[in-house]
């Protein structure tokens, strides 16, 4: 009897926790769009108290080079969503880069299949990915692209495909990437646990793999409590001009827009 009572209490406690998690996720979904409108960089000041001198100073420092930010939902997929939107936005009106990327994306499905990814599993994700790219090539407006990324179904399909491309690159260059995986895990274990599942946060290894796979240079600007100013890191560090600028605050990525000279 006592055991049953304990089980009931435990079950109710678990249900209460799950309900709380669901409510938090629902609140995030209601208050945070998957990708926001373009916002003045000064909007970041509202995220911190005015006597948080470190972050307030860093936002001012950030404003020296960047004019706007586009926020993404903090759902564990923010890196892929931020990268996907920012890069496709750059492709609008950039025919040379568009043609290069479209060819790469078109052939990526066959490469995934050759690496052992099941064709029937990736078919729909690749189709939505290509339809989104095709729309960009037909002089799609930024507003229309934003609608695509704010549509949870379409947006998540794009995120899944970017995760698959990242995973494939880790597999292709496993001897290189195994040196950066902690905890004694194999590359395969890391891919299945930290890359392919949705809502898994991204670290430098994910950025290195995706930028390498797509041949796109990304600048990540770091804003944390270290030092007196923001600093950045380019992926890859080969002197390429960054096409995408992302803001990293611990656990989260947003999109940055450089000031126009």
């Amino acid at each position: 009897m006592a055991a049953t009572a304990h089980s009931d209490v435990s079950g109710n406690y678990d249900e209460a926790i799950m309900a709380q998690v669901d409510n938090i996720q629902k609140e995030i979904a209601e208050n945070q769009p998957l990708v926001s409108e373009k916002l003045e960089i000064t909007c970041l000041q509202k995220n911190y108290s005015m006597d948080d001198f470190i972050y307030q100073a860093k936002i001012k420092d950030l404003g020296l080079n960047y004019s706007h930010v586009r926020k993404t939902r903090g759902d564990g997929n923010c890196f892929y969503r931020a990268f996907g939107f920012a890069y496709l936005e750059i492709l609008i009106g950039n025919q040379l880069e568009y043609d290069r990327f479209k060819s790469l994306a078109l052939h990526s499905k066959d490469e995934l299949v050759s690496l052992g990814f099941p064709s029937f599993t990736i078919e729909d994700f690749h189709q939505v990915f290509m339809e989104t790219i095709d729309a960009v090539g037909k002089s799609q407006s930024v507003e229309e692209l934003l609608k695509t990324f704010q549509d949870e179904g379409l947006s998540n399909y794009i995120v899944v495909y970017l995760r698959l491309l990242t995973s494939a690159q880790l597999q292709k260059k496993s001897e290189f990437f195994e040196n950066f995986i902690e905890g004694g895990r194999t590359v395969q274990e890391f891919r299945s646990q930290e890359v392919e599942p949705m809502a898994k946060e991204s670290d430098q290894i994910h950025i290195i793999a995706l930028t390498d796979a797509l041949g796109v240079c990304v600048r990540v600007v770091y804003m944390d409590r270290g030092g007196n100013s923001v600093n950045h890191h380019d992926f890859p560090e080969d002197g390429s001009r960054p096409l995408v600028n992302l803001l990293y605050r611990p656990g989260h990525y947003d999109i940055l827009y450089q000031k126009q000279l």
Side-chain angles (χ1 to χ4, degrees):
M1 189 74 175
T4 303
H6 175 75
S7 176
D8 289 345
V9 171
S10 177
N12 291 338
Y13 182 67
D14 289 343
E15 287 176 15
I17 291 175
M18 289 304 296
Q20 186 178 17
V21 169
D22 288 343
N23 286 336
I24 291 171
Q25 291 176 339
K26 185 179 178 183
E27 185 177 342
I28 289 173
E30 289 174 351
N31 294 304
Q32 289 185 338
L34 291 169
V35 180
S36 78
E37 301 286 343
K38 217 170 172 181
L39 305 167
E40 295 280 344
I41 202 78
T42 51
C43 76
L44 297 173
Q45 293 174 338
K46 299 173 186 175
N47 297 147
Y48 307 96
S49 64
M50 292 311 294
D51 58 1
D52 189 338
F53 302 116
I54 293 176
Y55 271 109
Q56 293 295 344
K58 288 200 172 188
I59 292 166
K60 287 182 180 178
D61 186 47
L62 191 66
L64 296 176
N65 295 305
Y66 298 92
S67 59
H68 292 81
V69 63
R70 214 183 268 276
K71 294 185 176 182
T72 61
R73 184 180 296 173
D75 59 0
N77 301 307
C78 55
F79 163 67
Y80 295 99
R81 213 177 309 272
F83 169 83
F85 181 88
Y87 181 55
L88 290 176
E89 184 181 19
I90 287 291
L91 295 185
I92 297 174
N94 187 336
Q95 194 64 43
L96 193 64
E97 180 69 9
Y98 174 83
D99 291 341
R100 182 197 72 83
F101 181 67
K102 183 177 179 180
S103 176
L104 185 153
L106 193 61
H107 294 100
S108 63
K109 181 193 160 192
D110 291 338
E111 183 172 27
L112 288 175
V113 172
S114 74
L115 290 169
F117 290 82
S119 178
F120 66 89
T121 303
I122 63 177
E123 184 85 42
D124 290 346
F125 299 113
H126 182 252
Q127 182 179 336
V128 170
F129 196 64
M130 290 311 304
E131 286 173 354
T132 306
I133 294 169
D134 287 341
V136 167
K138 294 172 182 173
S139 302
Q140 183 185 47
S141 68
V142 174
E143 289 72 26
E144 288 168 327
L145 180 64
L146 183 60
K147 285 180 183 177
T148 297
F149 271 79
Q150 288 178 338
D151 180 306
E152 193 143 11
L154 296 174
S155 196
N156 285 346
Y157 265 51
I158 295 166
V159 167
V160 167
Y161 201 71
L162 290 173
R163 284 184 176 276
L164 293 174
L165 293 174
T166 304
S167 179
Q169 195 69 7
L170 287 166
Q171 180 180 335
K172 283 170 62 179
K173 298 190 175 181
S174 57
E175 289 187 8
F176 169 75
F177 285 110
E178 66 186 4
N179 300 306
F180 302 97
I181 296 173
E182 299 175 348
R185 287 182 289 182
T186 65
V187 171
Q188 173 58 37
E189 287 170 337
F190 183 81
R191 289 168 54 218
S192 63
Q193 295 168 9
E194 304 294 340
V195 182
E196 294 175 13
M198 289 289 278
K200 284 289 186 176
E201 293 185 2
S202 302
D203 208 336
Q204 289 196 4
I205 190 170
H206 304 77
I207 305 174
I208 294 168
L210 185 60
T211 54
D212 188 34
L214 302 184
V216 179
C217 184
V218 173
R219 172 165 293 177
V220 178
V221 180
Y222 295 91
M223 196 169 83
D224 52 31
R225 294 203 174 274
N228 297 313
S229 58
V230 296
N231 57 77
H232 68 261
H233 189 95
D234 291 350
F235 300 88
E237 288 184 292
D238 61 1
S240 301
R241 183 175 70 88
L243 293 180
V244 171
N245 294 273
L246 301 180
L247 172 65
Y248 176 79
R249 289 176 285 172
H252 188 69
Y253 295 87
D254 290 313
I255 303 166
L256 283 174
Y257 293 86
Q258 286 185 304
K259 281 188 171 180
Q260 299 299 314
L261 300 176

